[in-house]
Amino acid sequence: MDARVDRIGRLGTPIVTIEAAVGDPDIWRAQALRSDWAPRGDFYPGPRADASHDYLHDLAEPLRVALGRVFGWRSPVDVMGCFYSLATTPAADLIPEQRAPHVDSFDPDQVAFVHFLCGARFGGTAFYRQRSTGFERIDAGNCNEFERIRTAESEQLQREPIDYVAAGSRYFEQLFVCPAAFNRIVLFPSNLLHCADLSGVTLDPDPAHGRLTVAGFLRPQQ
């Protein structure tokens, strides 16, 4: 497995990048093109479709190795969700929740991954610190303060030009970017502030030509 670990921010949170993640990624691109796409109501800036159990089986070995080496997981894994994702929303149409970094869960034990089935021109995944609080990971202990500050800043943000969050944001400091590359996976704790790195990216609503990824959410069984 060709993998690299970067430890970012004041917390030294691990970000795992895996190259050539699966043997034949075109199988999963073809499956995505045949999928039923629809918005999921989760603030993702585009439609999603369910990935198959066969896809997860193909990823099982690289994920098992990375989760064991970096996160210390030894027990079986629960899949909390796994979706083909297609970013399509132009910057001008973003709602406030889509203009700031987010977390997928407050659970410190949950891990997320993004599998890029597109090339480098589609940005990547970026990770952030909330400037006013210094928060990098959001959990049950700091989520109320994070949301209070983010709500107040969101009201100010609405008076500024609309765009995806990027380096130089007034409210969030960019810590690290994993660039998109075909068949690359980035793996990270789900409660780490992150966002698709899409500022200045031209998006295409056709999954054959657009920013096609797979987003997955994993947790060790109790």
Side-chain angles (χ1 to χ4, degrees):
M1 181 181 69
D2 182 7
R4 184 184 75 249
V5 180
D6 293 281
R7 296 190 178 271
I8 70 166
R10 296 169 184 157
L11 301 177
T13 302
I15 308 293
V16 184
T17 305
I18 304 173
E19 309 294 350
V22 297
D24 190 355
D26 288 325
I27 292 175
W28 310 119
R29 277 185 54 84
Q31 184 182 86
L33 299 185
R34 299 191 301 268
S35 296
D36 295 323
W37 294 85
R40 295 297 177 101
D42 57 2
F43 299 125
Y44 185 78
R48 284 181 149 163
D50 291 325
S52 68
H53 291 293
D54 288 342
Y55 169 80
L56 287 166
H57 180 76
D58 201 17
L59 276 186
E61 183 60 17
L63 290 181
R64 183 191 67 79
V65 173
L67 291 168
R69 288 180 183 173
V70 180
F71 297 99
W73 291 14
R74 297 292 180 264
S75 61
V77 172
D78 284 329
V79 179
M80 315 305 290
C82 191
F83 312 101
Y84 291 116
S85 304
L86 184 67
T88 59
T89 303
D93 295 338
L94 295 173
I95 61 175
E97 290 84 356
Q98 295 169 325
R99 298 177 61 191
H102 64 279
V103 299
D104 302 310
S105 170
F106 297 146
D107 181 352
D109 293 326
Q110 183 172 301
V111 166
F113 70 82
V114 177
H115 185 187
F116 295 102
L117 296 177
C118 59
R121 70 186 181 92
F122 289 107
T125 299
F127 301 89
Y128 291 87
R129 174 190 298 128
Q130 190 178 43
R131 293 185 186 274
S132 56
T133 63
F135 295 158
E136 299 172 5
R137 298 180 67 168
I138 312 301
D139 56 27
N142 64 11
C143 61
N144 290 336
E145 177 70 2
F146 169 73
E147 291 291 352
R148 183 183 69 81
I149 296 294
R150 186 172 68 166
T151 298
E153 292 176 343
S154 178
E155 294 174 358
Q156 302 174 49
L157 188 63
Q158 292 182 56
R159 295 191 287 271
E160 299 181 6
I162 299 176
D163 199 359
Y164 285 94
V165 65
S169 165
R170 288 177 56 190
Y171 307 112
F172 293 93
E173 178 186 356
Q174 190 178 92
L175 302 176
F176 182 77
V177 178
C178 177
F182 186 64
N183 202 21
R184 171 181 287 169
I185 282 181
V186 58
L187 192 70
F188 52 92
S190 288
N191 71 343
L192 181 64
L193 284 166
H194 63 282
C195 193
D197 189 32
L198 294 176
S199 180
V201 174
T202 300
L203 300 174
D204 192 316
D206 182 349
H209 305 289
R211 188 185 189 273
L212 177 62
T213 62
V214 184
F217 309 98
L218 312 171
R219 196 183 191 286
Q221 288 184 6
Q222 300 299 305

